[in-house]
Amino acid sequence: MYKILVTEDDHTIASEIKNLLSGWGYEVKLTERFSDILGEFNEFEPHLVLMDIGLPVANGFVRCAQIRSVSKVPVIFLSSASDNINLITAINMGADDFVSKPFDINVLLAKITAVLRRTYDFSEQKSDEIIYKGLTFKASDSSVTINGNKIELTKNENRIMETLLKEQGKIVSRNNLMQKLWDDDCFVDENTLSVNINRLRKKLEENGIADFISTKKGQGYIIE
């Protein structure tokens, strides 16, 4: 049984989410100590966190960073503020997805299912290395090594890199990448893919590899 920590200070919304997810067989805990969210996270050891942005004491971005300092457990942000700034900040803070309030229950369930599946059930593994143009990619530990420097990748960056490297010299469409990342692209904001691509490019450029991922306008992305 998957365990989900719901960090939402609106008790009505939190209770609604708990009732819904419990009915689908998840073990759900509502955060009670908003001054010690990391402590509750460590005690409960969830498989996934639903995190509101507007929280008492410190906002969800701060709390996500605290969780990311000790765990790679997936985090989905909940927020009524769905503008691009919040989306980009959420992804940069290590979020795996973003759901805008008011949300459709079916969309929330689909996103949770997709994130859990790709995190815990993905089995195309990942024991091999891909070496290409001075870069060593290792999917099994979500890393890229360049000139001896090991760069940690998020789960989404890891999946993007793996997909593009396995299709070297071929254009991979945005829809194909979104399906690899989220299983069903109809529940995905396209900005999320762009944010992940740009952040991955920045990591590579900061370590001396520029223009590794090329954009083919109107077609997708390619590693030449």
Side-chain angles (χ1 to χ4, degrees), residues 135-151:
L135 173 152
T136 300
F137 168 70
K138 192 172 181 180
S140 59
D141 67 354
S142 298
S143 71
V144 167
T145 301
I146 303 171
N147 298 324
N149 296 323
K150 186 175 181 179
I151 306 163

Side-chain angles (χ1 to χ4, degrees), residues 1-215:
M1 178 186 294
Y2 289 117
K3 298 194 294 185
I4 298 177
L5 178 65
V6 178
T7 304
E8 164 65 67
D9 63 326
D10 185 314
H11 185 71
T12 300
I13 294 175
S15 297
E16 180 183 353
I17 292 173
K18 181 176 181 178
N19 291 336
L20 168 75
L21 297 182
S22 297
W24 281 85
Y26 296 108
E27 181 180 348
V28 182
K29 175 178 173 53
L30 303 184
T31 293
E32 298 173 355
R33 306 192 309 268
F34 287 95
S35 61
D36 187 26
I37 291 172
L38 185 59
E40 289 202 7
F41 172 86
N42 289 329
E43 292 168 6
F44 186 53
E45 297 183 340
H47 296 94
L48 181 144
V49 178
L50 293 180
M51 177 81 70
D52 188 29
I53 291 179
L55 294 172
V57 185
N59 66 35
F61 297 137
V62 173
R63 298 308 191 181
C64 181
Q66 292 174 340
I67 289 172
R68 278 289 164 268
S69 70
V70 299
S71 173
K72 291 187 177 182
V73 162
V75 176
I76 297 178
F77 271 115
L78 305 173
S79 176
S80 55
S82 58
D83 58 88
N84 286 345
I85 295 298
N86 277 304
L87 172 63
I88 292 170
T89 303
I91 298 298
N92 285 335
M93 294 304 294
D96 295 79
D97 215 328
F98 188 102
V99 181
S100 299
K101 299 177 187 175
F103 49 80
D104 183 300
I105 289 300
N106 292 320
V107 172
L108 178 63
L109 276 171
K111 284 180 176 285
I112 289 171
T113 301
V115 169
L116 289 172
R117 184 186 303 124
R118 73 173 185 259
T119 303
Y120 300 106
D121 294 343
F122 184 62
S123 59
E124 292 176 9
Q125 294 305 68
K126 279 187 176 181
S127 58
D128 59 314
E129 292 183 346
I130 300 176
I131 300 174
Y132 188 69
K133 291 187 176 181
L135 173 152
T136 300
F137 168 70
K138 192 172 181 180
S140 59
D141 67 354
S142 298
S143 71
V144 167
T145 301
I146 303 171
N147 298 324
N149 296 323
K150 186 175 181 179
I151 306 163
E152 298 293 334
L153 304 178
T154 65
K155 288 187 294 293
N156 287 347
E157 293 166 354
N158 189 50
R159 189 65 60 83
I160 291 169
M161 182 66 82
E162 182 177 37
T163 302
L164 292 177
L165 281 171
K166 285 183 175 179
E167 298 293 333
Q168 293 169 23
K170 299 178 184 178
I171 297 172
V172 180
S173 70
R174 289 179 62 86
N175 283 342
N176 191 337
L177 277 174
M178 286 191 289
Q179 288 168 356
K180 290 285 186 181
L181 293 177
W182 291 280
D183 297 328
D184 190 343
D185 61 352
C186 69
F187 293 116
V188 177
D189 186 323
E190 284 205 33
N191 288 333
T192 306
L193 176 60
S194 299
V195 169
N196 278 278
I197 289 283
N198 291 335
R199 189 173 59 183
L200 178 56
R201 281 173 167 158
K202 184 177 180 181
K203 285 184 178 181
L204 297 177
E205 289 171 1
E206 288 175 345
N207 285 273
I209 296 186
D211 303 319
F212 190 78
I213 300 172
S214 300
T215 299

